Amino acid sequence: IDPAYPVERIEFMLADTAAPFIVTKSGYLQSSEAEKILLDADWEIIAQNPTENPPPVADSENLAYVIYTSGSTGKPKGAMLTQANLAHYVQALQQEFCLTPDDRYLHLASIAFSSSRRHLLFPLAHGASVVIADEEQRMDPLPLFRLVKQESVTVFDAVPSFQRYCMNALLELETERRKELLNKNLRLIVSASEPLLSDIPATWMFEFKHPAQHIHMIGQTETSGIISLNHVTEEDVIGEVRAVSVGRPISNTKIYLLDENQQPVASGEAGEIYVCGDGLGRGYLNRPELNEQKFIELSIEDDSGSKNIQRVCRTGDYARLLPDGRLECLGRQDFQIKIRGNRVELGEIEASLISNPNVRECSVIGREDQPGQIRLVAYIVARQKSDSLIEELRALTREKLPDYMQPAAFVMIDSLPLTPNGKIDRKSLPVPDESAFAVEKDYAAPRNQTEKLIAEIFAEVLGFSRVGINDNFFEFGGHSLLASRIIARLRKTFKVEIPLRAIFEAPTVAEVAKKTELYQRQTEFASTNDLTKIERPEVIPLSFAQQRLWFLAQMETESSTYNMSEVFRLSGKLEIEELKFAARKV
């Protein structure tokens, strides 16, 4: 459970699972009645227990975990995966990744995101190390790349949208500084969860001249995570920018492309992806009606021509088969989209909005008015006009939904456009103007050159004609990845190192200007107070402490104990790798 989730969502997940125990720290999940094991307050008790592995009590069909995804009916869905599913996952990926104990895998995902199993359990299952990025590093490319180089990371695994922000941040740097940050120990660059446009691996290959192999994948939480992958080659990225193929199914997995009558489509035609195999999970927790829709039995012809009844999962994703036998993803044809790698059911957002008594109708869509930048826009039909309704809805979504599911813009309309058969005509919903991205405020112009430059950066990154000095970056549709672009531009413009957290602490132009000027003064102070060598021709006498050390050194010529304040004797087996790790940390 991500502690950053809204309280209401966390309480639903705890009630849905009826978990008897919660492993956490003091101050979290205080309202739950489940017994808590506190890793901080209870550590002395925990440390008294045996350190040996307990006897195994789970078999392959027991649940390994439940991960919640966005739900179209307004409540999250808990996908259930078994120990056998997890064993299949880590073994199938190993056939493609070939991890060794020398590998160091970067952990970027939230623990509540399905990718965290690939970032954590997969490398550990094969003896590799895991390097866990902290909150700032997960959002800011420059600290992240410093970590990647410092820890000699060999596998960099991130959703394509985050890779794009990292790539843009590096391109902002001078060539020499970029070379200093790029880690040549990286042997694998991995992407999943979103379409990968070919310009991203092309930049790594040709602009950065990085030797790493690229792997792009597709999968669903309900099917263990990954069902198909592609080892990206130069042929995949040369030429015009296009979506990179997701390759072929991983081992022990079969993919069928079927039409609306659940019949196979011809090669080159679009069909819905149906999946069966060892990765297919148990279904959704406490959702039998949904399981009947998504997890079905089909009579499918095998390679020998005989038909077998197989349990399959309808993914809702569409693809076509390329002439070389690889899959090309074509997106979804329902109301589910991906926002920064997270699966979002638009119906869940709409259900939250409609709970406001003054909302008569609503529709939420993901707009890509700027290439590569999808923003959630909510269209609201109110029962009666209210100047405060949008503020109420913003507060409501902050209370009920994770940040990646909160609409960036709210548009008030008189009625929702309909198609001839009475459905909402989402293509006819109007493009939101700039006023839709924040609560109405009086525009305040920049007062000095610093504010003017920062306002221009905000406007360009957000895609607006202008931004006032009191306009809030996040209320205008900003998020962590866009914030990293703001920081990259600030660093380049003002020649000063500004941490990403500055945007979260001070999200308006005026506040960022103050922070920027503060960091500039600190930088100037540091540059004018560097230590400089001073010529001293005369002999400088020793201090009393230096005289004492010199005297003791003469008495104990063969020993260095004169410079040791304390001595400790340690007994037990010396763990060489642990000692190396500690030395590296120091």
Side-chain angles (χ1 to χ4, degrees), residues 14 33 75 105 117 120 128 159 175 219-220 245 299 317 376 378 424 447 518 529 540:
L14 291 175
E33 296 180 358
K75 60 181 181 180
Y105 206 115
R117 293 156 306 135
L120 183 67
V159 296
T175 303
Q220 295 79 26
S245 162
S299 176
D317 288 312
L376 291 171
I424 297 174
R447 297 164 296 188
L518 173 63
N529 286 272
I540 306 297

Side-chain angles (χ1 to χ4, degrees), residues 23-65:
V23 181
T24 182
K25 288 185 176 182
S26 302
Y28 291 109
L29 310 179
Q30 293 172 317
S31 62
S32 173
E33 296 180 358
E35 183 176 345
K36 297 179 186 64
I37 300 168
L38 303 177
L39 291 177
D40 48 358
D42 296 338
W43 189 250
E44 290 186 5
I45 301 172
I46 295 170
Q48 294 172 14
N49 285 274
T51 57
E52 296 80 21
N53 288 332
V57 295
D59 63 32
S60 61
E61 294 309 309
N62 283 131
L63 279 186
Y65 57 87

